[in-house]
Amino acid sequence: MYSDDPWYDALASGWGETDVTHAPDAAPPVAKDVYLEVQRSAAFQEVRGRYRRFVMPAVAVFLAWYVAYVVAATTAPGLMARPVAGAVNVAMVAGLGQFLTTFLLTWAYVRHARLRRDRAALELRWEMQELTRVTGGGAS
């Protein structure tokens, strides 16, 4: 079975299907209208809002930290060359801090998605799949 629906999951097809019967005079909704309806829904807006409330500040903080590192490396070589412990200097510590920050940010993003967005997004996915199934597989 082929579907133009980007949310179609072949492994989940058939699970939980109900016999959907329509009134003979009622036309099934067009897939495009279903997508727009879900996009306008409060649940979708909440998922997008939660995503933006995490990502925008995280990106701003990480970019500020990265730019500060690059600016310090180019404008204050004396500061960056200052030894911290043996042959390890401030630049090395800050550079390793960039990697650590990347890993911490990735962990925080995954945790935030798992706790704050995944369940709501999955519910939206199932709702979308059920609504588009009524349209005949996503044809618009």
Side-chain angles (χ1 to χ4, degrees):
M1 176 179 197
Y2 178 77
S3 176
D4 292 328
D5 183 0
W7 292 100
Y8 180 75
D9 184 358
L11 296 175
S13 66
W15 182 79
E17 286 186 15
T18 58
D19 184 25
V20 179
T21 56
H22 298 289
D25 59 341
V30 178
K32 178 178 73 170
D33 297 334
V34 172
Y35 284 102
L36 290 173
E37 177 185 338
V38 170
Q39 183 182 11
R40 291 182 192 120
S41 72
F44 181 84
Q45 296 303 322
E46 179 63 26
V47 169
R48 294 298 297 171
R50 288 178 182 177
Y51 170 79
R52 288 185 184 119
R53 283 190 298 270
F54 179 84
V55 169
M56 296 301 178
V59 167
V61 167
F62 184 78
L63 284 177
W65 161 229
Y66 176 74
V67 169
Y69 171 70
V70 171
V71 168
T74 57
T75 60
L79 170 69
M80 299 300 271
R82 185 170 294 154
V84 174
V88 177
N89 59 18
V90 173
M92 288 178 157
V93 172
L96 291 173
Q98 291 287 319
F99 285 103
L100 179 63
T101 303
T102 302
F103 293 125
L104 287 174
L105 188 59
T106 302
W107 170 81
Y109 175 81
V110 169
R111 183 176 185 274
H112 180 268
R114 182 175 35 88
L115 294 176
R116 306 255 194 273
R117 294 189 325 264
D118 284 353
R119 184 176 305 273
L122 185 60
E123 289 172 5
L124 278 171
R125 177 183 177 181
W126 283 111
E127 176 185 335
M128 187 74 162
Q129 187 174 8
E130 290 301 316
L131 290 173
T132 56
R133 185 175 315 201
V134 173
T135 68
S140 53

